[in-house]
Structures are given as C-alpha cells and as structure tokens.
Amino acid sequence: MTKKPSKTTEYHYTKLSEVQVNTTVNVFGVVRFARPPTKTRGSDYSMVLSIIDRTLHENDKKLKCLLFNREKEKLPFLDVGKIVRLHRLKITEFQGELQGQSTPGFSWLAFDEDKDSSMKPLVSSSNFTFTENDIKTVKELREWVTSLDDLQHPNKTCFADLVPQQYYDVYCQVLATCVLEENVGFLLRVWDGTRPINPLREFDISGEDCVTESRQDLLDRAGNLAVDVALYDDHYTTGKTIKPGQFVKLNNLHAAIYTSAETRPELSELPMIELVIHRGTAYGRGVHIINEDFSGLKPLKERLEKITVEEKQKETATGSGAGKDSRFLEKSRNCASPDSDTALSQPSINLSCYNSSNERELLQEMDMEVSCDLANQSQPQTSQSHDQINQSNVQQSQTTARCMLQTSTVVLNHPHIQCTKIRDILTHSVPYKFRVLAQVVVYFPRFQSPSDICKMYCTECDYLCDPPVKGKRKDLKISKSNHYYCPSCNGESQCELELIFMLRFLLRDKTGELVANIWRKDAVTFFQDITPVEMLTEPALCQQIQNGLGLVSDSAGPWFECCVKSYQTPEGVRYQIFDTCLV
C-alpha cells in the first residue's frame, strides 16, 4: 500500500444533502445499509450501499449508491456504522430520488467506526491520498456515530437473539459442511458461541452416503452450541467453496418455523425453528466468506475465545475432562433429527450474548442443559405413585425444619403437598405436578434491562419478538386498542401481540438439576401481580423485580420453593413453574 504525500491537491467534499443530479462528487458518509457484493446477470459484481451524514440524518433521509466492479474483491464488504469515503461518485436520479453510481476512476476507502481503532483504511486501490483534513473528518464521524443508537454494534447479533419467522445477519465460524442434495441443498454446521432458546432442527449427517468435511477440533470446542444452516438453490455453489474453520456472514438468514408429520408445534411451549437461506439474492441474501482480519469479526472471536479458555480451565480442574459431560457433548455433535431417539430433550441455553459481571462461567451455563438431559436419557421412565415419591422424601421432611427454613418464594394453594426430590421428578410419569425445594443456580436471560425478560407473543401462531425499547416499533402496525398486530398472522385475522414475561430457571438440590420455565400469567403471579407493562413503565416496580431475581439467584441466599408441572412435547419433557410467588 502506498499513501501519497499529503501535499497533493486537497479534494473538495460535498455534504450529502447538497449533492445534485448529473454531477460527480466526492463524499464522506456513514453506512446505514449495505448489501454484500453479488453477481449480476452479466460479468460484473454489484452492491447496494446507503450512506448518511449529519445533514441527511436530520431529515431521516439517506443516499442510495450502486457500485459495480468486475472483481468482487474490489468492492467493499461493509457493516452498518462503518465510515466510507467515496471519490468520483456520479449522482443520477431514479424514480424521483437521487442515487450515486460508480464511474470510471471511482475509488473508496472504508474505516472502522470505533474511536480507538486505527486510521488505517480498507482501500480499493494501493494509491490514495489521505490528508490531515481527512483524518479530522473521520474522527468527527466516529464521534457522531457513537451518539446514534440505531448504528451501535449491529454485528453483535447472535444465534441467541433469534426468534421465529424473522430474518437476521449473523457472523459465525464453520465447523463442518455437507451436501444435502446435489446442486440443490448444502448444509453448514456453524457456531457463534450461543444458541437460540427455541429448539432447533438438526440434520443427521452421520450416514455413509453423506459427503461431509469437518474440523473435529472445532466440533469439540463447540459441543452442543453447533447449529445447522441449510443453503438452497443459488447458494449451493457458494456453500461448496466454504471450508471448515472459515468465518462467514449469513445474510438474510430466516429463522423459519419447522413443521413435519412427526412434529406437533401447537403442543410445544416454543416452536421448533430451522435456519435457512432461501433461493435468490433479495435483501443481500447469501453466505459470504469473511477474511479473518475483518474488524466486524471482533465480537465473535472474543466470544469464541472466552469459551475456549473456560473449556481449558475446566479440563485442567477436572483432569482429563472425559466425564459424563464429554460423553454428552460427543452425542450432541452427532446432531440427530427431531424424531430420533437421541434428539435433545430440551433446547440448549447459552448466555454469552447477555453479558453481566454477575454471570457464572459460560461452561457452567452449558452444564445446565447437560445434567438435565443426561438425567432424562439415563433414567428409565418408570411410573411411581405419588405415595411412593412422598415416602422417599420422609427423611428430607424430617431433617428440614420447614417452620425455620427461610425461602425467597412461597407456593400458593398447595400448602400440604410435600416436596419431591428433583431426581424423582425427572423419572416420574408425565404429566404430573410437584412441589420443589431447591436452589437457583442461574436464571435466563440475565436482567440488564426490562426488555430482557419481556417478549411480545402471539397466542395464535406462537410468533415471538422483542418489545420496543424506546418509542414505537416502525416494523409493526398498531391496533385501535394501542396494541401491536402480529406480522406473522393473516392480515384479516388481526391478531394482537401480548406483552409477556419469559424466564427460565436452573434448579438444583442434592439429587439433581432441573430446568423450569415460567411465563405469561404464571410469571405475573410470580412477580406479585406486576405486569410487563407496569415493569416497563414504572422504574420502582422494575427495581423490585430486579432485586427479587438477584435474591433468588444468589448462591448464598435463601432456598427457592415452587410448584412445578411436567408435560410432554415433541422435543421432550418440559417443566413449568406455577402457583409460586416471590416474597
């Protein structure tokens, strides 16, 4: 790379609000939207870029740019929030709006938006000018970007954020590849250190007829955090060029609801989803190989490195690390189909996208699912009478002075039912109801803001999404009753979204561990009849809930007493807390 001396001619830069049709300009801007380069019908590659500066952002406008080049590598791969400098951009008009286009001699520079990042840019040519005034402009834009909430760290979207029927852009690392159907379907087994709360469709690629390529060292690191992404039609050829170990960006990834003759999604608390990149390149849809030095990979690499370090620490602490957890992770790598005997009984929980100084180590959070699934798989599902289970708890009841035992919760309407050990709950016939006395190891998601434990939910189609944090959601229509309409249901049905609490607890006693969910009306009861709307609007009530969750998850705090009911779903047995209230 050669940088021309700054004594060269200073370029004039036009504010984006002042560009005019049929002119060629030099501009600085911040990326508001970027569709990665894709092949045109001809011999070129093209990409779409929308940029803003202070003058356009004030009027909620942007300048759309179409860039072309015969070489894909000569076009910038950009994230929202990046800063660009475009030289010799031709301004045209299309459908009444101004539009920028690349011309002969067009060039670009791209900079990271972080204030502490280097001033070394990505470039389209080895020869470029970069003056003191340019440095000043980049610094000013970096400062401005930090004030825009909608441009903050968009590349931190991870698998844990996915909700059904939505589309996402996600960075991840490839663990293995497999041909699903020649020239039609291709599978990427990937990880980003997290996993959705919903159960996932997983493909069985262990057959002899499966053409697979994998990195076993990465599969060992990922364990049950590996997820399957299916590429179809247009993206088959690109998938064939991807090698395990490479980093990729999945653009316009669809978290589709998966249904089949063997599944009954209407009986499941959370619908199963499959991760798909459909045919076509609309909205930048596709999979793109990313250079390892690309700055947008920094959050992903830090997350994966944290998991690796914690895995090594645990192996050191436990010797060979080849206990029951290792056997479970090995099984989870042979990803089974939803209807097979080895399918996971509960969706995995991972909290790495929900950072908190009080969180336990990530590997402990993974162990939460390990121990519960092992208990379900290793114990015979033999029925016991309620009297037999109560008899097994006589010793516990005798040694525990209930009148002297401090608990953080109370059970409602069932004061005379004796407590059942978690081990006996896991082996009891389903469905059934129990009373439990245990400790909370961790709860998910961790409380950092009110919206962390709130969701908007459709009772008709199980659609789930995050509530608006500030103001209204532009992507959802508001009903006359000031509720949001479900975007997934038929427009004529006019289904309204319900604002609900949704949490999950890991409970532990001396006999085992149990993952128990709580949501909707049961969660309102749990929080002393505080509704999600009240928590989101009244700081005092929000603080009350936050303090209560902090109390129950304190390892040195009081015991957790609750009512739990078991029920069967296509993905396995689930447990839900009911008739329980924080004190």
Side-chain angles (χ1 to χ4, degrees):
M1 179 188 306
T2 303
K3 184 167 62 175
K4 292 183 178 180
S6 59
K7 66 180 181 180
T8 55
T9 304
E10 289 275 354
Y11 284 89
H12 171 73
Y13 293 95
T14 306
K15 296 179 180 178
L16 295 182
S17 62
E18 298 177 356
V19 298
Q20 298 181 4
V21 68
N22 297 326
T23 61
T24 300
V25 297
N26 307 314
V27 296
F28 272 95
V30 176
V31 177
R32 188 69 185 81
F33 168 82
R35 190 189 74 183
T38 56
K39 192 76 167 61
T40 66
R41 294 182 179 179
S43 58
D44 288 343
Y45 286 86
S46 69
M47 71 171 296
V48 179
L49 195 66
S50 292
I51 59 175
I52 59 174
D53 63 6
R54 290 178 184 269
T55 63
L56 280 191
H57 189 262
E58 292 172 354
N59 299 315
D60 197 25
K61 294 183 178 181
K62 55 185 179 293
L63 178 65
K64 181 179 179 180
C65 303
L66 299 179
L67 311 182
F68 297 89
N69 202 291
R70 290 185 177 275
E71 299 179 47
K72 184 178 180 180
E73 294 72 20
K74 292 295 181 67
L75 292 173
F77 191 96
L78 300 169
D79 270 328
V80 173
K82 299 298 181 186
I83 297 167
V84 293
R85 189 191 78 176
L86 307 179
H87 275 191
R88 291 172 287 279
L89 182 71
K90 183 179 180 180
I91 306 301
T92 61
E93 188 174 6
F94 180 72
Q95 294 183 347
E97 293 187 354
L98 295 181
Q99 180 175 276
Q101 289 187 3
S102 57
T103 60
F106 170 80
S107 66
W108 54 265
L109 302 181
F111 303 84
D112 288 341
E113 71 275 26
D114 294 331
K115 291 189 294 184
D116 298 329
S117 297
S118 167
M119 278 291 175
K120 182 179 179 181
L122 296 174
V123 299
S124 59
S125 172
S126 59
N127 295 316
F128 62 93
T129 62
F130 192 57
T131 68
E132 291 298 325
N133 285 335
D134 293 334
I135 294 175
K136 180 181 178 181
T137 301
V138 172
K139 288 182 177 180
E140 289 175 350
L141 288 173
R142 283 178 170 176
E143 192 70 33
W144 179 60
V145 168
T146 61
S147 67
L148 303 179
D149 293 338
D150 54 343
L151 297 183
Q152 294 304 302
H153 304 293
N155 58 336
K156 285 192 175 180
T157 300
C158 54
F159 290 126
D161 299 323
L162 306 190
V163 295
Q165 300 296 69
Q166 298 298 300
Y167 292 83
Y168 300 89
D169 296 343
V170 182
Y171 286 101
C172 54
Q173 186 178 28
V174 179
L175 308 171
T177 64
C178 178
V179 176
L180 296 178
E181 184 178 350
E182 195 68 36
N183 296 318
V184 175
F186 195 82
L187 178 74
L188 298 181
R189 183 156 291 169
V190 300
W191 78 313
D192 75 347
T194 75
R195 191 177 176 93
I197 191 172
N198 291 71
L200 284 174
R201 182 191 182 187
E202 297 170 332
F203 291 81
D204 184 2
I205 60 173
S206 59
E208 295 182 357
D209 56 339
C210 293
V211 182
T212 62
E213 187 176 355
S214 64
R215 279 270 304 271
Q216 191 59 48
D217 61 321
L218 294 178
L219 287 168
D220 291 339
R221 287 175 59 189
N224 63 348
L225 298 179
V227 302
D228 287 350
V229 176
L231 315 177
Y232 290 107
D233 299 322
D234 311 55
H235 314 292
Y236 176 90
T237 303
T238 304
K240 289 273 287 184
T241 66
I242 296 173
K243 302 296 182 183
Q246 290 182 314
F247 291 93
V248 297
K249 185 178 184 182
L250 306 171
N251 278 81
N252 203 236
L253 174 70
H254 188 198
I257 293 180
Y258 175 69
T259 58
S260 69
E262 292 78 22
T263 61
R264 294 288 303 280
E266 69 276 9
L267 300 179
S268 176
E269 177 186 333
L270 293 174
M272 176 175 286
I273 61 177
E274 59 177 337
L275 304 182
V276 182
I277 294 184
H278 302 291
R279 67 181 304 177
T281 57
Y283 308 104
R285 184 177 303 137
V287 55
H288 306 275
I289 301 173
I290 309 299
N291 292 329
E292 289 202 28
D293 57 354
F294 179 60
S295 60
L297 292 176
K298 183 178 179 181
L300 170 64
K301 287 184 174 181
E302 290 176 348
R303 194 158 61 239
L304 301 187
E305 181 61 27
K306 179 182 177 183
I307 294 175
T308 302
V309 170
E310 290 171 343
E311 176 71 23
K312 290 179 180 179
Q313 289 175 346
K314 184 174 182 182
E315 288 180 358
T316 301
T318 60
S320 64
K324 65 176 184 179
D325 295 355
S326 299
R327 293 195 299 273
F328 175 82
L329 295 179
E330 182 60 36
K331 175 176 286 189
S332 71
R333 286 193 294 271
N334 298 324
C335 295
S337 60
D339 55 340
S340 70
D341 292 336
T342 58
L344 301 184
S345 63
Q346 299 194 37
S348 297
I349 302 174
N350 186 276
L351 311 182
S352 61
C353 268
Y354 302 89
N355 297 320
S356 170
S357 59
N358 296 324
E359 280 185 7
R360 290 174 171 269
E361 293 185 348
L362 176 63
L363 209 56
Q364 288 179 304
E365 297 158 0
M366 292 166 58
D367 288 344
M368 168 172 25
E369 284 293 323
V370 170
S371 60
C372 291
D373 285 341
L374 277 173
N376 279 323
Q377 293 170 10
S378 62
Q379 297 289 343
Q381 295 294 321
T382 56
S383 300
Q384 301 179 29
S385 69
H386 195 238
D387 290 337
Q388 288 174 315
I389 295 178
N390 287 338
Q391 185 177 359
S392 70
N393 287 301
V394 170
Q395 183 177 359
Q396 177 183 349
S397 300
Q398 290 175 342
T399 57
T400 303
R402 292 293 297 115
C403 60
M404 300 295 292
L405 183 63
Q406 182 185 11
T407 61
S408 59
T409 54
V410 295
V411 299
L412 309 174
N413 306 321
H414 314 283
H416 303 299
I417 302 299
Q418 294 205 18
C419 293
T420 303
K421 296 178 182 178
I422 288 178
R423 175 189 61 203
D424 296 328
I425 294 175
L426 294 172
T427 57
H428 196 272
S429 58
V430 178
Y432 214 89
K433 296 181 179 180
F434 310 90
R435 183 174 174 179
V436 179
L437 183 64
Q439 288 184 312
V440 175
V441 179
V442 70
Y443 72 90
F444 169 85
R446 301 296 286 181
F447 194 110
Q448 293 179 309
S449 67
S451 59
D452 289 336
I453 62 172
C454 289
K455 297 291 181 182
M456 291 195 294
Y457 173 72
C458 177
T459 58
E460 295 295 324
C461 69
D462 291 329
Y463 174 85
L464 203 66
C465 68
D466 292 327
V469 178
K470 296 179 181 179
K472 299 179 180 179
R473 286 189 56 150
K474 297 180 180 180
D475 57 327
L476 297 176
K477 295 182 179 179
I478 300 180
S479 68
K480 293 182 179 179
S481 57
N482 207 30
H483 290 77
Y484 289 99
Y485 284 130
C486 175
S488 180
C489 290
N490 190 311
E492 298 178 357
S493 64
Q494 299 292 292
C495 299
E496 293 184 347
L497 295 174
E498 174 187 349
L499 188 61
I500 66 170
F501 290 119
M502 178 176 285
L503 297 96
R504 178 171 289 181
F505 294 90
L506 171 63
L507 307 179
R508 175 188 291 164
D509 66 11
K510 291 183 178 180
T511 67
E513 295 176 334
L514 175 77
V515 175
N517 305 311
I518 186 168
W519 71 324
R520 301 188 69 188
K521 293 181 179 179
D522 290 328
V524 173
T525 300
F526 182 79
F527 291 128
Q528 300 181 359
D529 293 328
I530 297 174
T531 66
V533 174
E534 291 172 334
M535 187 196 68
L536 289 170
T537 56
E538 300 185 34
L541 296 179
C542 175
Q543 186 64 46
Q544 180 178 331
I545 289 179
Q546 188 173 23
N547 292 342
L549 290 174
L551 177 66
V552 301
S553 60
D554 185 354
S555 59
W559 286 76
F560 187 91
E561 185 180 32
C562 64
C563 294
V564 172
K565 56 185 175 183
S566 63
Y567 56 99
Q568 186 72 46
T569 75
E571 293 75 49
V573 179
R574 295 287 191 272
Y575 301 91
Q576 184 167 323
I577 297 173
F578 70 103
D579 282 358
T580 303
C581 181
L582 275 171
V583 296

